[in-house]
Amino acid sequence: MTDLSNSKELLKSLVERIEKLTEEKQAIADDIKDVYAEAKSSGFDTPALRALIKRRAEDAAKREEREAILESYMNALGMLSDTPLGQAALRAVG
Amino acid sequence: MTDLSNSKELLKSLVERIEKLTEEKQAIADDIKDVYAEAKSSGFDTPALRALIKRRAEDAAKREEREAILESYMNALGMLSDTPLGQAALRAVG
Amino acid sequence: MTDLSNSKELLKSLVERIEKLTEEKQAIADDIKDVYAEAKSSGFDTPALRALIKRRAEDAAKREEREAILESYMNALGMLSDTPLGQAALRAVG
Amino acid sequence: MTDLSNSKELLKSLVERIEKLTEEKQAIADDIKDVYAEAKSSGFDTPALRALIKRRAEDAAKREEREAILESYMNALGMLSDTPLGQAALRAVG
DNA sequence: TTAAGCGATAGTTTCC
DNA sequence: GGAAACTATCGCTTAA
């Protein structure tokens, strides 16, 4: 087996994986579209629904950011969140 | 069960489905990124690889249409006249 | 005149120059946008126009290199064998 | 003069304008780079300088946003900012 | 010098 | 259909 044919096989594999993943991604995007269509036909206002989803995502991101900051503080204090002591500290400042 | 609570339940269900699907979609997008990174570290040229994938994705009809448009523009600017092949093409369509 | 005030004046000058240049750069970017909008409203296909500009911008050497890479990938995947021209090319390089 | 040749001339004109503007834009980008290089060789910390410029830009944007909001209020009251009365109102709430 | 993070730009999708 | 928002890609900058 030469390097060249190895490269060729590798390229083929990469392309196939990307195309397969892209297909799956598109299928999911279509599913999402369908859910919005269903919502609309149930009388929900699509833009409002999108705004709601967006807001929830932002809130989640913010919460994660806060938790990351808190964890960095805890790390600075040598308290890992997976120890009982760290968990106690977390409750104390929570 | 009132209409109101039905609506509430339905909304909750819709939101959850959309959020779940969005999460899955993002996970796949990350996977695709990973494959491109792997390709790059294997020595492949990422932009060329993207161009290849794109070309394969475009169905034949669309691709021909795009190329026809581009060629007509190039023709208008005399770009084809720079190459022997282009000159032949110009004679062919002249 | 102290060194400190020299530094201060110099910094002020640098900042002003950068801000002025940035402003000019943004103005030109807006102009480019306008030209594309004009092209579109004149019936030109914007993506094709962008592709044309890009192709002209790439110097010949670089373009040939990119096309060679893409072609080698396509060759590896057997894409050329789909077209008569591709088959001729394959025979030519075979 | 046919439509076709008109189109051709128009395309040529559009392409030339875009290319000229792009060239100017790139020249300015190079100038900016030069100023940063000059700053660095004068002993300034480039990332800090960038941060400063960025902050000034953000402040300016915020100020403009505030002014836009204020103006919308004034418009709602029928007070245009280019009238003496409007200017007086602006001072009053400033 | 190169890899990774970031900022800017181009393209796609959505809403009106 | 046109404008606007969002996503994804590309090039630059910085740090190792």
Side-chain angles (χ1 to χ4, degrees):
Chain A
M1 188 74 91
T2 66
D3 276 7
L4 195 65
S5 71
N6 274 333
S7 287
K8 195 171 164 174
E9 287 308 310
L10 179 53
L11 175 60
K12 255 187 178 161
S13 160
L14 292 166
V15 168
E16 280 167 8
R17 285 162 64 196
I18 291 170
E19 286 179 342
K20 181 168 169 14
L21 288 168
T22 302
E23 201 176 326
E24 290 173 16
K25 180 159 160 267
Q26 189 54 47
I28 293 179
D30 292 343
D31 287 347
I32 294 174
K33 228 184 253 277
D34 288 346
V35 179
Y36 275 111
E38 181 186 338
K40 184 171 187 173
S41 73
S42 297
F44 290 103
D45 181 65
T46 306
L49 184 53
R50 284 184 192 277
L52 172 62
I53 302 270
K54 184 178 176 180
R55 180 159 187 179
R56 282 169 58 95
E58 282 169 357
D59 288 350
K62 226 170 192 131
R63 187 174 59 245
E64 283 190 17
E65 186 193 347
R66 290 172 63 104
E67 286 176 359
I69 291 173
L70 180 55
E71 181 153 345
S72 74
Y73 288 171
M74 293 168 64
N75 278 331
L77 293 173
M79 302 175 194
L80 294 176
S81 61
D82 51 13
T83 65
L85 189 60
Q87 289 165 7
L90 183 57
R91 276 194 299 276
V93 301
Chain B
M1 188 75 89
T2 66
D3 276 7
L4 195 64
S5 71
N6 274 332
S7 286
K8 195 171 165 179
E9 287 307 311
L10 177 53
L11 176 59
K12 197 176 172 184
S13 160
L14 292 167
V15 168
E16 281 169 3
R17 285 162 65 196
I18 290 171
E19 286 180 341
K20 182 168 169 12
L21 288 168
T22 301
E23 202 175 326
E24 289 173 15
K25 179 159 160 268
Q26 189 54 48
I28 293 179
D30 292 344
D31 287 347
I32 294 175
K33 232 181 245 284
D34 288 346
V35 179
Y36 275 110
E38 181 186 337
K40 184 174 186 173
S41 72
S42 298
F44 289 102
D45 181 69
T46 306
L49 184 54
R50 286 182 192 278
L52 172 64
I53 301 273
K54 187 173 184 175
R55 184 169 298 195
R56 281 169 61 96
E58 288 173 351
D59 57 85
K62 200 152 197 169
R63 177 164 66 241
E64 284 186 17
E65 183 194 348
R66 285 181 70 101
E67 286 179 359
I69 293 173
L70 179 56
E71 182 162 338
S72 74
Y73 289 178
M74 290 171 67
N75 197 348
L77 294 177
M79 284 177 73
L80 289 181
S81 60
D82 292 348
T83 66
L85 191 60
Q87 289 164 7
L90 285 175
R91 277 194 300 276
V93 301
Chain C
M1 188 74 92
T2 66
D3 277 8
L4 196 65
S5 72
N6 274 333
S7 286
K8 195 172 167 180
E9 287 307 310
L10 178 53
L11 176 59
K12 198 176 173 185
S13 160
L14 292 166
V15 168
E16 281 169 4
R17 284 162 65 195
I18 290 171
E19 287 180 341
K20 183 169 169 11
L21 288 168
T22 301
E23 202 175 324
E24 290 174 14
K25 178 159 159 269
Q26 189 54 48
I28 293 179
D30 292 343
D31 286 347
I32 293 174
K33 230 181 247 285
D34 289 346
V35 179
Y36 275 109
E38 181 186 338
K40 183 173 186 174
S41 71
S42 297
F44 289 102
D45 181 68
T46 307
L49 184 54
R50 284 184 192 277
L52 172 63
I53 301 271
K54 188 175 183 175
R55 185 169 296 195
R56 282 168 60 95
E58 288 174 351
D59 56 85
K62 199 152 197 169
R63 177 164 66 241
E64 284 187 17
E65 184 194 347
R66 285 180 69 102
E67 285 179 1
I69 292 173
L70 180 56
E71 182 162 338
S72 74
Y73 290 177
M74 291 171 67
N75 198 350
L77 293 177
M79 284 176 73
L80 287 182
S81 60
D82 292 349
T83 65
L85 191 59
Q87 289 165 6
L90 285 176
R91 277 193 299 276
V93 300
Chain D
M1 187 75 92
T2 66
D3 276 7
L4 195 64
S5 72
N6 274 334
S7 286
K8 194 171 165 175
E9 288 307 311
L10 178 53
L11 175 60
K12 256 187 180 162
S13 160
L14 292 166
V15 168
E16 280 168 8
R17 284 162 65 195
I18 291 171
E19 287 180 340
K20 182 168 168 16
L21 288 168
T22 301
E23 200 175 327
E24 290 174 14
K25 180 159 160 267
Q26 189 54 47
I28 292 178
D30 292 344
D31 287 347
I32 293 174
K33 228 184 253 274
D34 288 346
V35 179
Y36 275 110
E38 181 186 338
K40 183 171 189 174
S41 72
S42 297
F44 290 103
D45 181 65
T46 306
L49 183 53
R50 285 183 190 276
L52 171 62
I53 302 270
K54 185 177 177 180
R55 180 160 185 178
R56 282 168 59 94
E58 283 168 355
D59 289 350
K62 224 166 193 137
R63 188 173 61 244
E64 283 190 17
E65 186 193 349
R66 290 173 63 104
E67 286 176 359
I69 291 172
L70 179 56
E71 181 155 343
S72 74
Y73 289 171
M74 292 169 64
N75 279 332
L77 294 173
M79 302 174 194
L80 296 175
S81 61
D82 51 13
T83 64
L85 190 59
Q87 290 165 7
L90 181 59
R91 276 194 299 275
V93 301

